[in-house]
Amino acid sequence: MNLKKVVNEIRNFEGILRKIAIKDVVETFDFNDEDYEFDIIVDFGDDAAVIGIDGDNAILLAADGIWGKLLEADPWWAGYCSVLVNCKDIAAMGGKCVGMTNIISIKDKDICREVLKGVKDGVKKFGVPMVGGHTHPDAMCNVLDVSITGIAKKDCILRSDNAKIGDKIIFAYDLVGQIYKSFPLNWDTTTMKSKKLVRAQMDALVQIAENKLANSCKDISNPGAIGTLGMLLEVSRKGGVVDITKIPKPEEIDLIHWLKVYPGSGYVLTAKEENFKEIKDIFEDVEMTAEICGEVIAEKKLYITDGENKEVVFDFEKEFICGC
Amino acid sequence: MNLKKVVNEIRNFEGILRKIAIKDVVETFDFNDEDYEFDIIVDFGDDAAVIGIDGDNAILLAADGIWGKLLEADPWWAGYCSVLVNCKDIAAMGGKCVGMTNIISIKDKDICREVLKGVKDGVKKFGVPMVGGHTHPDAMCNVLDVSITGIAKKDCILRSDNAKIGDKIIFAYDLVGQIYKSFPLNWDTTTMKSKKLVRAQMDALVQIAENKLANSCKDISNPGAIGTLGMLLEVSRKGGVVDITKIPKPEEIDLIHWLKVYPGSGYVLTAKEENFKEIKDIFEDVEMTAEICGEVIAEKKLYITDGENKEVVFDFEKEFICGC
């Protein structure tokens, strides 16, 4: 295997490079203002923000905009994915989804109609209501932004920034699916599955959270497997070593391609080794495959290996992915 | 007074005409799917959606996008207003704001920087944290969408659709302010006020809600005073008569202009007459002026009067504003 080539492909992957824009936004907001009525537990840098409300509960907030080119090329899928990506963000925190709002800017009515149909189908599949929003009927561009609110017990949140040295790095995927026709980087595992299974796959993360089985978790999204792991390690201020040949993968998919894919149901977690079996069983119960692929280390670099050679993908002492 | 002219100005006001786009979106989503884990109490058609969580509490969700032309003409104000409008949406439900997320699409970095500064200033003023979101660094248009989550006791929600026949129609405004320089339709009452007062003005609605003093409420927004009242009556399936000369108004502002204005702090409520004094006192304590201006009637028409003549503005048997 040409590991240097893999490193190069990952480092130049647009799905990762786009994350750098987060830094400017994050630096604008600080949370030293003690005026806030509620307790901010997690802000930028995780799949969702977490705010404590009453004694036990916390509210989770996340939002996602759909890439313009996706929206125009396949508006139905954009609408459907706007639901999927937000639900995954809440699930990745170990939370339950409460409801969503959307803001649609309409330049082309036909595109808008297809987008809404996709959103509706996503709502039916994931069982999370779209309850409100805002419409711009006269926009210059077609834009779809969706936000989601979730809920979780304060002491059962799966954060991105809590990876511990010595944790095993676990990748979990639903491997049964297909490359989505219009977007080769999307691994569709939900359109053909029952809503019962799709929702059970989200509940799996709630089980992992409530049983305190993992130290950190992130849903695999636009940056792909290694990019997502990189963001998790970056905010945890740790490093890691990953054997990419151990990452669960459908046989027919090329490895480099797989590392860039946005899966319909896929997560990276870190956990004590003793918890792995239980995590694996929870995922298997919902038809997902989980494997240990590496370990969290103190040195702030992310290495990939193929079992023989080892290369640095990210050196967090010198660079950042999102800068959170 | 030329009432027919007033009617004409209101009916052709862009702030109202744009609301018609809501209908297509709303018709897409139905809530007969009993799969939802949580109880949808209010969905589209109100200032915020309401979803019941545990025994006592409900989560409020709202979202707002800032008009493209506002964003480009005065990005700081767009950012600041993105916070203001969302906070008002939660306040108008009698709720407390928990947190916000935003999605920024960046075409021009300079505009983005000013927008973020405005958002930051809004956050400092209103005391509601911006805790997460999403960034599109390579968009075709500059777009700012913000969503907010709030919380309230389930039995203390101020809805838009609960106006009762015989209720008095009450308008409440902070009359101390100024027309915003770049946007003559914005009545700025917050940039020059202390955060203590601004936040107290939002809490006033919580007090009104928790003391069950009003049957319905809506924050006065883009559709202006009569357009907002129209939407409230439309979803309540009622009508109303309003003496527009009684609507609290700064002396120096022309009436027709005032009816179109988006005020920094302004609400329309309906309530039993016996509750008016208490409502008025609550608003006066936070330096706002509230007056009875009309009454809710069974006939599904909204009339305006100047004390002598009477004209129909909206006939809900034949037309709709947002169709919810």
Side-chain angles (χ1 to χ4, degrees), chain B residues 107-249:
Chain B
K107 181 168 149 263
D108 304 296
K109 280 201 151 182
D110 294 334
I111 287 183
C112 182
R113 194 169 300 122
E114 276 305 296
V115 166
L116 289 179
K117 192 170 182 315
V119 171
K120 185 177 183 177
D121 291 342
V123 163
K124 277 182 154 20
K125 180 77 66 165
F126 287 84
V128 182
M130 186 70 73
V131 288
H134 191 85
T135 310
H136 293 293
D138 46 21
M140 299 294 293
C141 293
N142 295 305
V143 179
L144 172 62
D145 290 332
V146 177
S147 54
I148 190 166
T149 299
I151 194 166
K153 294 288 173 216
K154 271 183 205 171
D155 62 347
C156 297
I157 308 272
L158 283 172
R159 298 171 63 134
S160 295
D161 63 352
N162 200 36
K164 305 283 185 230
I165 295 162
D167 274 358
K168 294 304 176 192
I169 295 171
I170 300 160
F171 281 92
Y173 285 90
D174 182 348
L175 295 178
V176 176
Q178 61 199 8
I179 291 288
Y180 186 75
K181 54 187 190 315
S182 325
F183 289 93
L185 285 179
N186 293 169
W187 176 248
D188 173 19
T189 63
T190 63
T191 63
M192 73 298 284
K193 306 257 173 71
S194 70
K195 56 187 186 182
K196 183 175 173 196
L197 178 60
V198 166
R199 297 176 198 191
Q201 288 184 346
M202 293 206 297
D203 281 342
L205 281 306
V206 177
Q207 284 185 61
I208 288 169
E210 290 186 348
N211 289 295
K212 301 194 195 323
L213 296 173
N215 285 328
S216 71
C217 179
K218 217 164 165 56
D219 84 296
I220 297 165
S221 60
N222 275 324
I226 301 301
T228 302
L229 172 62
M231 290 175 73
L232 183 154
L233 294 171
E234 179 184 11
V235 296
S236 295
R237 307 200 192 296
K238 304 288 187 294
V241 186
V242 169
D243 184 340
I244 57 175
T245 66
K246 294 192 169 160
I247 295 175
K249 179 182 79 62

Side-chain angles (χ1 to χ4, degrees), chain B residues 3 23 33 56 64 80 101 107 129 153 163 188 210 220 260 314 320:
Chain B
L3 263 193
K23 190 174 190 299
D33 185 341
D56 283 346
D64 249 306
Y80 181 85
T101 55
K107 181 168 149 263
K153 294 288 173 216
D188 173 19
E210 290 186 348
I220 297 165
K260 297 180 183 179
F314 299 114
F320 58 84

Side-chain angles (χ1 to χ4, degrees), chain A residues 35 64 134 141 145 147 195, chain B residues 35 64 134 141 145 147 195:
Chain A
D35 267 342
D64 249 306
H134 192 84
C141 293
D145 290 333
S147 54
K195 56 187 185 181
Chain B
D35 268 338
D64 249 306
H134 191 85
C141 293
D145 290 332
S147 54
K195 56 187 186 182

Side-chain angles (χ1 to χ4, degrees), chain B residues 3-5 7 302-305 309-314:
Chain B
L3 263 193
K4 286 192 195 300
K5 181 183 177 195
V7 167
L302 173 53
Y303 294 91
I304 57 170
T305 161
N309 303 305
K310 200 163 97 169
E311 294 286 340
V312 173
V313 183
F314 299 114

Side-chain angles (χ1 to χ4, degrees), chain A residues 14 18 21 24-25 28-29 31 33 35-38 40 43-44 49 51 53-54 57 59 61-67 96-103 116 119-120 123 127-138 140-141 143 145-147 149 151 195 199, chain B residues 14 18 21 24-25 28-29 31 33 35-38 40 43-44 49 51 53-54 57 59 61-67 96-103 116 119-120 123 127-138 140-141 143 145-147 149 151 195 199:
Chain A
E14 190 186 16
R18 287 177 99 244
D24 284 341
V25 177
T28 302
F29 302 106
F31 299 95
D33 185 342
D35 267 342
Y36 299 127
E37 182 158 357
F38 300 98
I40 302 169
D43 52 78
F44 287 87
I51 299 182
I53 41 173
D54 62 34
N57 285 322
I59 295 295
L61 298 90
D64 249 306
I66 303 298
W67 281 16
K96 298 185 183 193
C97 304
V98 173
M100 296 178 287
T101 55
N102 69 59
I103 301 181
L116 289 178
V119 170
K120 184 176 184 178
V123 162
V128 181
M130 185 70 73
V131 288
H134 192 84
T135 311
H136 292 293
D138 46 18
M140 299 293 291
C141 293
V143 179
D145 290 333
V146 177
S147 54
T149 299
I151 195 167
K195 56 187 185 181
R199 298 175 198 190
Chain B
E14 190 185 17
R18 286 177 99 241
D24 284 341
V25 176
T28 302
F29 302 107
F31 299 95
D33 185 341
D35 268 338
Y36 298 127
E37 181 157 359
F38 301 97
I40 302 170
D43 51 78
F44 287 87
I51 299 183
I53 42 174
D54 61 33
N57 284 322
I59 294 295
L61 298 90
D64 249 306
I66 302 299
W67 282 15
K96 298 185 183 192
C97 303
V98 173
M100 297 179 286
T101 55
N102 69 60
I103 302 182
L116 289 179
V119 171
K120 185 177 183 177
V123 163
V128 182
M130 186 70 73
V131 288
H134 191 85
T135 310
H136 293 293
D138 46 21
M140 299 294 293
C141 293
V143 179
D145 290 332
V146 177
S147 54
T149 299
I151 194 166
K195 56 187 186 182
R199 297 176 198 191

